[in-house]
Amino acid sequence: MTKILLSVLLASLSLPAMAAPPEVNLATTLASLLLVIMLILVLGWLLKRLRLPSIQGDNNMKIVKQLTVGQKERILLLQVGDEQLLVGVTQHNISLLNKLEQPLPEPVVTRPEFASQLGKILKNDAKTK
């Protein structure tokens, strides 16, 4: 299967500019499809590497702040119910560093809704034209 796709891709790259339209359309379509699949795989790998927080969260336990102290070592401030815990995370171990007596205030993060962000972008785009 991969040999066939590779041969079609190579054939599409070596086709002269005046080739028959049906062959060129098939070749460009397959090349575009391969490009889109590769883009999806690269974006998936990138999202996995960035370790973005999940969209759905548990209200009982969440990460308030995190500090990277090494390549795979972090210090996390966890909110568990009403308590805050300072936890050290390494590649092989998770250990409790401290239980905070006075909880730190959570940072206020405001995220505008998608519709309002899109509206601002469209308005800015319309003004520049």
Side-chain angles (χ1 to χ4, degrees), residues 19-87:
E23 293 175 16
V24 173
N25 288 339
L26 178 63
T28 55
T29 302
L30 288 175
S32 299
L33 179 63
L34 287 174
L35 180 67
V36 169
I37 290 172
M38 288 176 55
L39 182 65
I40 290 171
L41 292 175
V42 167
L43 287 176
W45 175 81
L46 185 63
L47 286 174
K48 186 176 180 182
R49 287 288 287 175
L50 289 178
R51 297 181 185 171
L52 296 174
S54 64
I55 295 172
Q56 299 174 352
D58 186 10
N59 291 335
N60 296 327
M61 184 168 74
K62 62 183 171 183
I63 298 173
V64 177
K65 290 185 181 181
Q66 65 178 338
L67 174 67
T68 304
V69 291
Q71 186 175 6
K72 295 185 178 181
E73 296 84 17
R74 288 186 270 167
I75 297 174
L76 303 175
L77 180 61
L78 299 175
Q79 179 77 38
V80 182
D82 295 333
E83 299 178 342
Q84 285 187 344
L85 307 171
L86 197 60
V87 178

